[in-house]
Amino acid sequence: MLYHAFLIKYAEIAIKGKNRYLFEDALVKQMRIALSHVEGEFEVKKEQGRVYVFCPEEYDFDEAVEALKKVFGIVGISPVVIYEEQGFEQMAADVVSYMQSRHPGYNGTFKVYTRRAKKTYPMTSMEVSAELGGKILEAFPEASVDVHEPQLTLSVEIREKIYVYSETIKGPGGMPVGTNGKAMLLLSGGIDSPVAGYMIAKRGVKIDAVYFHAPPYTSDRAKQKVVDLAKLVAKYSGPIRLHVVNFTDIQLYIYDQCPHEELTIIMRRYMMRIAEHFAQKSGCLGLITGESIGQVASQTLQSLAATNEVCTMPVYRPVIGFDKQEIVEISKKIDTFETSILPFEDCCTIFVAKHPVTKPNLNVIHRSETKLEEKIEQLMQEALNSTEIIDIS
Ligand code: ATP
Ligand code: MG
């Protein structure tokens, strides 16, 4: 086993007082969830204003790092080697052997940074740093000390044991999921909505999701694709409760009763209503979509206003000002792209009109919706009652 622990660095603005406590507790919780999918045993602990992962057993280092790199709130991950505390001479020998194994033949600039959590230690931090620096120079004659802008900082923490680390792997930043409430993501099989969910989760918001399918017009594989996307987003957001709504009868009814060029808008208004129903039921404080201005007919400002009108909750659209290419880049980074581009039909594209309205007039839409009065309540109720819930972990 190479590293015995990870020191976790986090620093979103000034987290003070009670907030700091909530932030750390949420962080610890999300780290435990992330690491529960990694082979091996991990102990995540808050200790004297720091968060550590201790690794008492054999484990897969790369997998553990990959999991931690997806936990929002983490800005840095430092792999730590822990040595027994057996006096200064032994510590110096351990530090030199650490350098020999992690930075063999080191010839750049460095400094030693010492922290004493154990205040009874007989030397001050400054003395320890200076003495250890001397020992390293003896072992690495080509290296030199630079206390202002060193290429390498070797950190030594004196606790019950001696913690040594010198590398920091970049974390994802953001805030721990659970520190900013919960919202309902409208998750389709496309590129944009998984990215939207990721972006809101990054700000500490827990995510639930709703997917509208239209069997037999949409296949089980299209649904599986959405489940797979939810799993990929869940690697960042933690568990997602996915609501799979059978939208077929509502769509067919709208198709029968309303002008075809208004189909998409009216359909999307019903999607929002149903999503909001589940959002309210599960304590969500907002809805999330992957809409971006002007991307398609249903995303002009007029169309967005028309779908927005039926919602009483705020609708968060984190990619609203992004070009497609910018969204694609994020989807590649978070690994949803390859799944998103699998060619399965979406319920929106199946009933789509040749010339959908791009500037819907709300009065006209309201009038069209009155044509649905006879059966829509009942169909909505049936859709709600038959919704399948899939817990994605
Ligand atoms: P995406 O790439 O996210 O599918 P899109 O560019 O295809 O987006 P639309 O199909 O107009 O755009 O959908 C806009 C948004 O509406 C989506 O980002 C998503 O939030 C929501 N949405 C669309 N279709 C569905 C669906 N079948 N189930 C759940 N949400 C949907
Ligand atoms: Mg889509």
Side-chain angles (χ1 to χ4, degrees), residues 49-98:
R50 305 204 136 194
V51 173
Y52 289 96
V53 180
F54 294 100
C55 320
E57 293 184 343
E58 288 287 327
Y59 68 102
D60 187 319
F61 177 84
D62 293 333
E63 261 187 47
V65 169
E66 272 316 303
L68 292 171
K69 275 167 83 173
K70 295 187 172 69
V71 178
F72 295 129
I74 295 180
V75 296
I77 305 156
S78 294
V80 179
V81 179
I82 302 178
Y83 300 96
E84 294 297 326
E85 206 276 277
Q86 295 170 321
F88 179 79
E89 285 309 316
Q90 185 58 46
M91 173 159 73
D94 290 336
V95 164
V96 167
S97 97
Y98 172 95

Side-chain angles (χ1 to χ4, degrees), residues 188-191 346 348:
S188 67
I191 294 171
D346 180 73
C348 289

Side-chain angles (χ1 to χ4, degrees), residues 106-122:
Y106 190 71
N107 60 6
T109 60
F110 75 97
K111 84 169 180 187
V112 179
Y113 177 75
T114 307
R115 247 174 76 121
R116 282 183 322 163
K118 188 178 169 188
K119 297 292 177 199
T120 53
Y121 198 78

Side-chain angles (χ1 to χ4, degrees), residues 185-194 210-213 268 271 288-291 295-296 298-299 324 346-348:
L185 169 67
L186 282 87
L187 181 63
S188 67
I191 294 171
D192 309 329
S193 46
V210 53
Y211 165 60
F212 297 89
H213 72 152
R268 296 195 48 75
M271 281 189 180
I288 307 164
T289 73
E291 290 161 312
Q295 203 187 77
V296 288
S298 59
Q299 296 176 23
K324 192 73 185 186
D346 180 73
C347 72
C348 289

